[in-house]
Amino acid sequence: MKAVLLAAGEGKRLRPFFSRPKPLVPLLGLALIQRNILALRDCGIKEFIIITGYQAEEIEEYLGTGEKLGVQISYLHNAEWQLGNGVSAYTLRQNHFADEKYILMMADHVFEIDVIKSFLTAAQTLEAGEVLLAADRRLEQVYDLDECTKVKGQDDFALRLGKDLQDYNAVDCGLFIGSQALLDALGKAVSQGRYTLTDGVNLLAESRKVRLFFLEGNWVDVDDLESYKYAEKMLLKSLVPPKDGLISRTFNRPLSLRITKVLAKTAVTPNQITWCSFFVAVLSAICFAVVNPILAGLLTQFASILDGVDGEIARLKFMRSNYGGLLDAILDRYGDFLIIIGMTYAWYTAAADPLALGIGAAALTGIPLSMLFKEKFHALTGKPYIPEIHDGITRYLPANRDGRLFIIFLGGIFNLLPLALAVLAIITHLQAWWRLYNARRII
Amino acid sequence: MKAVLLAAGEGKRLRPFFSRPKPLVPLLGLALIQRNILALRDCGIKEFIIITGYQAEEIEEYLGTGEKLGVQISYLHNAEWQLGNGVSAYTLRQNHFADEKYILMMADHVFEIDVIKSFLTAAQTLEAGEVLLAADRRLEQVYDLDECTKVKGQDDFALRLGKDLQDYNAVDCGLFIGSQALLDALGKAVSQGRYTLTDGVNLLAESRKVRLFFLEGNWVDVDDLESYKYAEKMLLKSLVPPKDGLISRTFNRPLSLRITKVLAKTAVTPNQITWCSFFVAVLSAICFAVVNPILAGLLTQFASILDGVDGEIARLKFMRSNYGGLLDAILDRYGDFLIIIGMTYAWYTAAADPLALGIGAAALTGIPLSMLFKEKFHALTGKPYIPEIHDGITRYLPANRDGRLFIIFLGGIFNLLPLALAVLAIITHLQAWWRLYNARRII
């Protein structure tokens, strides 16, 4: 399926704040239109048609052929963009591709990626001659309801759309699956002097050809500074994975998201952050070894927070890679090992207690077991091991990385290294044996 | 697809050696027919029709409804089994299932499982009215060519079959995909007083309806004591995985296969062997700690050999399980950890050299990296990491488990624990960092 992005409008209300045309306004490190292209690319779409109007050259210059983004982009220009977005959409007739379906998206709308994925899945069942429109019926949580195009729907079909509709039960999210039928309707509307996309869609709605897809996730039409800030918040919030551990969710994420918000606007890559988190862990290990446990503990927690940032940037900027996943996994283990060795060294040199060596060895061997188990489970069953679901009662043990590093943090700032090491040794091995026992049931 | 197993014959030549009917003759822990049922079950076949003749009750009593094997078995009895196997196969008409295809197999033929898998794949392209016959054209390596039914083929079709055929280019392996057409041909042959399966197939061959599948793997018709022993050897040899490490292939497998040959005939489960291998590793660790390095080294190598047996038994007796894979992975790591700790303890208590602690910690942290990397790679890419392919030049580093335990074995018997630990520390970390560097290219 091809994607058609409408990027012809002027975006007056954002102009005072940005020197670029609205589709190129940067949001968390990506231009609005670039984010949509990358999101659609992640859904498997490789061919894009961008309809330009206002400041067309700047947009074409910025995106080029799409090669840098790993897609193919061609452009259609609508010199009469000021008439309305229906006229812009209608320029698509110049690049007509028979009755092939296409996804039509406003360049300046921002969606959580899962919304686009499920919309495309729903598109597969669309019948010939129909248009699919993403609509939101959760009116109480729609952002800036006044500005939205309202939809009066019945069953799964739109009856009527309009900005000033009084009787409505959903709003238009600016995301369509169109085909030749939509172009025909737009042509008819334009010939009648009605120039908005809504005008064309209304002609189809009259004959019950506009099927509604009620989305579940978040989206926003970035129109002014408030909606821009809302989009930032929404995207950052969407970065928290559902299987996050307790410490990560309550303690690390609020901080890592702030760091991500800053770093997203730079050219820093996720892998660079992974390395950075590793070096902070090395520093922490050295601080433990030279008996500065408070600083060491703080650095450990900082490494733990940074350990979230690489993934957040990767998801936010569509920079996920298998290599990044591998690098993160191995460097995390090295960081953990070095910190444990630093702590054990500090304890043993201070107290010359052989117990330090025993507990240190137990903690050192316990550390990799969680990942070993999870990855082996994944490789064997093809399904990820999710502690929150599979660990049963032991999911409350802080034996995953966020929890383990938090124990080290506490051990550092309260200068209780023997206790922290003992707790780590016990919970990691306890978790491993419990998982092994439990695996019989869940595998 | 259903499976039809011909188990009606007498098997005279094996009778002096076994007190059971031939399909129930035990081979490496499974009755011949049971092995075929389990192999077909592993290929996704759940419904079986067994055609009995000689000693039918014993066979029915042994296999029952198939519940214990996880399949459904029904029986057809041919009272006139002595006439020939064509008459036996023809009893299938009583359980006629329209034009559905079925796999027809001799109960006493033994195949490597991959042969059956590729045969079933080939069956998918069979056209209506055709029969697919597994044939072997590698005549120089066919076991007991004299006893085989020969096939004269042209292109991919059989022209003529017969035991005494002079002009032939393949042999019949006793594995068919049949349909109603085969039953019709058998009926016609029987009505003409020709009672073998070959007679029926020949009628189809005349009209070019017998398509040939030339198999690649090993198989044998278990008919006498020599072929029985050949089958044992063939199955044991097939247990060696293609991605075996160097030490495993050259040193461990010849020994582990001998142990497997003995244990397969008992009720010992793969998981019990996994535990056994772990306890031997614990013993080895204790021996290292109490300064008996020679015994400790020998025990380590024994644990390494046993580590192959669990998988061999699991594959041989169709007892593979995800839980077994997980148990093996975690207990192996524990075994390794304990052995390294035992060695480090021995070195440190003997020499009071802090270097022992450093090298010990390095070895301890290096040990799990190989598996961590491989499993993460598998989980991320969906493909297994195969050291022989992906490791490039470092595949010669003995840093996988077979190699690591061999180094410990050598360190033990030559009483060179510091050297063995240092080598382990170096190669495991070297491998991990090289893999990480190399991953950019291969992932």
Side-chain angles (χ1 to χ4, degrees):
Chain A
M1 196 187 281
K2 287 177 189 162
V4 179
L5 295 183
L6 270 190
E10 188 175 356
K12 272 188 201 150
R13 285 191 285 170
L14 268 176
R15 276 177 64 196
F17 308 100
F18 297 97
S19 57
R20 300 161 159 198
K22 193 165 134 192
L24 300 188
V25 160
L27 177 77
L28 294 170
L30 295 177
L32 289 174
I33 194 168
Q34 192 181 2
R35 174 171 304 285
N36 282 331
I37 292 170
L38 293 172
L40 288 165
R41 185 195 68 185
D42 263 23
C43 296
I45 290 176
K46 303 285 177 213
E47 285 182 72
F48 291 79
I49 297 165
I50 296 179
I51 297 174
T52 59
Y54 180 71
Q55 293 189 316
E57 294 82 14
E58 288 195 39
I59 293 171
E60 289 199 34
E61 199 177 321
Y62 188 86
L63 297 172
T65 61
E67 202 182 333
K68 275 187 231 160
L69 303 177
V71 299
Q72 289 174 11
I73 300 179
S74 57
Y75 298 89
L76 289 173
H77 182 64
N78 172 29
E80 296 176 294
W81 58 269
Q82 277 164 310
L83 283 178
N85 63 356
V87 181
S88 294
Y90 188 47
T91 44
L92 186 60
R93 71 187 182 284
Q94 300 166 20
N95 198 330
H96 175 62
F97 28 89
D99 216 29
E100 202 184 326
K101 286 187 282 192
Y102 50 88
I103 180 166
L104 174 65
M105 195 169 179
M106 307 303 115
D108 53 1
H109 285 204
V110 177
F111 296 89
E112 285 179 359
I113 185 149
D114 287 346
V115 169
I116 301 175
K117 278 192 182 142
S118 46
F119 183 66
L120 284 168
T121 305
Q124 289 167 1
T125 56
L126 196 66
E127 285 179 29
E130 284 183 352
V131 160
L132 187 66
L133 168 61
D136 196 341
R137 58 185 162 191
R138 301 161 307 169
L139 298 175
E140 69 295 340
Q141 66 179 77
V142 165
Y143 186 84
D144 200 1
L145 189 58
D146 281 352
E147 280 299 312
C148 288
T149 299
K150 283 81 177 173
V151 180
K152 169 69 181 173
Q154 194 179 48
D155 305 328
D156 283 347
F157 289 93
L159 299 180
R160 179 99 199 129
L161 290 81
K163 209 153 182 173
D164 305 318
L165 223 59
Q166 294 305 313
D167 174 24
Y168 61 93
N169 42 24
V171 302
D172 165 357
C173 307
L175 188 61
F176 298 85
I177 302 290
S179 62
Q180 183 60 37
L182 180 60
L183 279 183
D184 294 344
L186 285 169
K188 199 170 158 192
V190 169
S191 70
Q192 295 167 356
R194 293 184 289 166
Y195 298 132
T196 68
L197 188 52
T198 303
D199 292 328
V201 175
N202 263 328
L203 288 181
L204 285 171
E206 283 167 12
S207 48
R208 275 181 98 88
K209 290 290 182 193
V210 180
R211 195 180 281 272
L212 295 174
F213 167 82
F214 296 108
L215 47 75
E216 304 275 327
N218 293 308
W219 66 283
V220 62
D221 172 4
V222 177
D223 216 25
D224 53 18
L225 206 57
E226 278 70 43
S227 52
Y228 176 88
K229 285 180 181 162
Y230 176 87
E232 269 193 341
K233 263 192 210 141
M234 179 193 101
L235 285 178
L236 288 171
K237 215 174 122 193
S238 76
L239 299 176
V240 181
K243 59 173 186 169
D244 235 8
L246 180 73
I247 298 298
S248 178
R249 201 169 54 239
T250 56
F251 192 91
N252 293 359
R253 288 290 173 198
L255 296 165
S256 66
L257 288 177
R258 271 162 216 240
I259 299 173
T260 292
K261 187 175 170 182
V262 174
L263 291 183
K265 293 163 189 172
T266 71
V268 171
T269 67
N271 291 354
Q272 286 166 347
I273 300 161
T274 303
W275 278 104
C276 189
S277 170
F278 171 66
F279 289 126
V280 173
V282 173
L283 265 185
S284 167
I286 293 169
C287 287
F288 272 122
V290 300
V291 201
N292 193 337
I294 296 177
L295 181 57
L298 290 170
L299 285 169
T300 292
Q301 192 55 31
F302 184 47
S304 181
I305 291 163
L306 281 181
D307 189 31
V309 174
D310 50 9
E312 290 167 15
I313 296 272
R315 292 192 290 283
L316 183 64
K317 296 175 81 174
F318 302 92
M319 296 172 85
R320 292 169 79 167
S321 73
N322 285 341
Y323 176 73
L326 207 49
L327 184 75
D328 186 48
I330 301 297
L331 290 189
D332 280 0
R333 298 297 86 68
Y334 267 104
D336 294 355
F337 286 151
L338 292 171
I339 290 172
I340 299 286
I341 290 171
M343 292 169 81
T344 308
Y345 178 83
W347 178 10
Y348 188 62
T349 49
D353 185 352
L355 190 64
L357 299 179
I359 304 276
L364 210 52
T365 54
I367 284 285
L369 292 173
S370 173
M371 175 181 159
L372 279 170
F373 187 95
K374 287 195 281 190
E375 299 305 333
K376 189 75 192 178
F377 182 94
H378 191 161
L380 283 168
T381 65
K383 287 175 290 187
Y385 185 90
I386 302 169
E388 296 280 300
I389 296 169
H390 294 117
D391 266 352
I393 185 90
T394 62
R395 70 181 176 279
Y396 299 112
L397 276 184
N400 292 302
R401 192 168 197 242
D402 59 332
R404 295 194 308 260
L405 294 187
F406 193 70
I407 289 167
I408 294 171
F409 160 66
L410 293 177
I413 59 170
F414 295 114
N415 198 8
L416 293 168
L417 302 200
L419 181 62
L421 282 171
V423 169
L424 280 179
I426 291 166
I427 61 172
T428 52
H429 289 285
L430 195 66
Q431 186 193 57
W433 287 96
W434 195 87
R435 279 184 177 171
L436 210 48
Y437 168 77
N438 190 42
R440 266 186 189 282
R441 200 170 47 77
I442 61 167
I443 210 163
Chain B
M1 197 187 281
K2 288 176 188 164
V4 180
L5 296 183
L6 270 190
E10 188 175 358
K12 273 188 199 149
R13 287 191 285 169
L14 268 176
R15 275 177 64 198
F17 308 100
F18 298 96
S19 56
R20 298 162 161 196
K22 192 164 133 192
L24 299 187
V25 161
L27 176 77
L28 294 170
L30 295 178
L32 289 175
I33 194 168
Q34 192 181 4
R35 174 171 303 284
N36 283 331
I37 292 171
L38 292 172
L40 289 166
R41 184 195 68 184
D42 263 22
C43 296
I45 290 175
K46 302 286 176 212
E47 284 182 71
F48 290 79
I49 297 166
I50 296 179
I51 297 175
T52 58
Y54 179 72
Q55 293 189 316
E57 293 81 12
E58 288 196 37
I59 293 172
E60 290 199 33
E61 198 177 320
Y62 187 87
L63 297 172
T65 61
E67 203 182 333
K68 274 187 230 159
L69 303 177
V71 299
Q72 289 174 12
I73 300 178
S74 58
Y75 299 89
L76 289 173
H77 182 64
N78 172 29
E80 295 177 294
W81 58 271
Q82 276 164 311
L83 283 177
N85 62 357
V87 181
S88 294
Y90 189 47
T91 44
L92 187 59
R93 72 188 182 284
Q94 300 166 19
N95 197 330
H96 176 62
F97 28 90
D99 215 28
E100 202 184 325
K101 287 187 281 192
Y102 50 88
I103 181 166
L104 174 65
M105 195 169 179
M106 307 303 116
D108 53 1
H109 285 205
V110 177
F111 296 88
E112 284 178 1
I113 185 149
D114 286 345
V115 169
I116 301 175
K117 279 191 181 143
S118 46
F119 183 67
L120 283 168
T121 306
Q124 288 167 2
T125 57
L126 196 67
E127 286 179 29
E130 284 184 352
V131 160
L132 187 67
L133 167 60
D136 196 342
R137 56 185 165 192
R138 302 162 306 169
L139 297 175
E140 70 294 343
Q141 66 179 78
V142 165
Y143 186 84
D144 201 1
L145 189 58
D146 281 354
E147 280 298 314
C148 288
T149 300
K150 283 82 174 173
V151 180
K152 169 69 180 171
Q154 195 179 46
D155 306 326
D156 283 348
F157 289 93
L159 299 179
R160 180 97 200 131
L161 290 80
K163 210 154 183 174
D164 304 317
L165 224 57
Q166 294 305 312
D167 175 24
Y168 62 92
N169 42 24
V171 302
D172 165 358
C173 307
L175 188 61
F176 298 84
I177 302 291
S179 61
Q180 182 61 38
L182 179 61
L183 280 183
D184 294 343
L186 285 168
K188 198 169 160 194
V190 168
S191 71
Q192 294 168 356
R194 293 184 289 166
Y195 298 133
T196 69
L197 187 52
T198 304
D199 293 327
V201 175
N202 263 327
L203 289 181
L204 286 171
E206 283 167 14
S207 47
R208 274 180 97 88
K209 290 290 183 194
V210 180
R211 194 182 281 271
L212 295 174
F213 168 83
F214 296 108
L215 48 74
E216 303 276 326
N218 293 308
W219 66 283
V220 62
D221 172 5
V222 177
D223 216 26
D224 53 18
L225 207 56
E226 277 71 42
S227 52
Y228 177 86
K229 284 179 181 163
Y230 176 88
E232 268 192 343
K233 263 192 209 141
M234 179 192 102
L235 286 177
L236 287 171
K237 215 174 122 194
S238 75
L239 298 177
V240 181
K243 58 173 185 169
D244 234 9
L246 180 73
I247 299 297
S248 179
R249 199 169 56 240
T250 56
F251 193 92
N252 292 0
R253 288 290 174 197
L255 296 165
S256 66
L257 289 176
R258 273 162 215 237
I259 299 172
T260 293
K261 186 175 171 181
V262 174
L263 291 183
K265 293 163 190 172
T266 70
V268 171
T269 68
N271 290 352
Q272 286 166 347
I273 299 162
T274 303
W275 278 104
C276 189
S277 170
F278 171 66
F279 288 126
V280 173
V282 174
L283 265 186
S284 167
I286 293 169
C287 286
F288 272 121
V290 300
V291 201
N292 192 338
I294 296 177
L295 181 57
L298 290 170
L299 284 170
T300 292
Q301 192 54 33
F302 184 48
S304 181
I305 292 163
L306 281 181
D307 189 30
V309 174
D310 48 10
E312 291 167 14
I313 296 272
R315 293 192 290 283
L316 183 65
K317 296 176 82 173
F318 302 92
M319 295 171 86
R320 292 169 78 167
S321 73
N322 284 342
Y323 177 73
L326 207 50
L327 185 74
D328 187 46
I330 300 298
L331 290 188
D332 280 359
R333 297 297 87 67
Y334 267 103
D336 294 354
F337 286 151
L338 292 172
I339 290 172
I340 298 287
I341 290 171
M343 291 169 80
T344 307
Y345 179 84
W347 178 10
Y348 188 63
T349 48
D353 184 352
L355 191 65
L357 299 179
I359 304 276
L364 210 52
T365 55
I367 283 286
L369 292 173
S370 174
M371 173 179 160
L372 279 171
F373 187 94
K374 288 195 281 189
E375 299 305 334
K376 188 76 191 177
F377 182 95
H378 192 161
L380 283 168
T381 65
K383 289 174 289 188
Y385 186 90
I386 302 169
E388 298 279 301
I389 296 170
H390 295 117
D391 267 352
I393 185 90
T394 61
R395 69 180 177 279
Y396 299 111
L397 275 183
N400 292 302
R401 192 169 197 240
D402 58 333
R404 295 193 310 259
L405 294 187
F406 193 69
I407 289 167
I408 294 171
F409 160 66
L410 293 176
I413 59 169
F414 294 116
N415 199 8
L416 293 167
L417 302 200
L419 181 63
L421 282 171
V423 170
L424 280 179
I426 292 166
I427 60 172
T428 51
H429 289 286
L430 195 66
Q431 186 193 55
W433 287 95
W434 195 86
R435 279 183 177 172
L436 210 48
Y437 168 76
N438 190 42
R440 264 185 189 283
R441 202 171 44 79
I442 60 167
I443 211 161

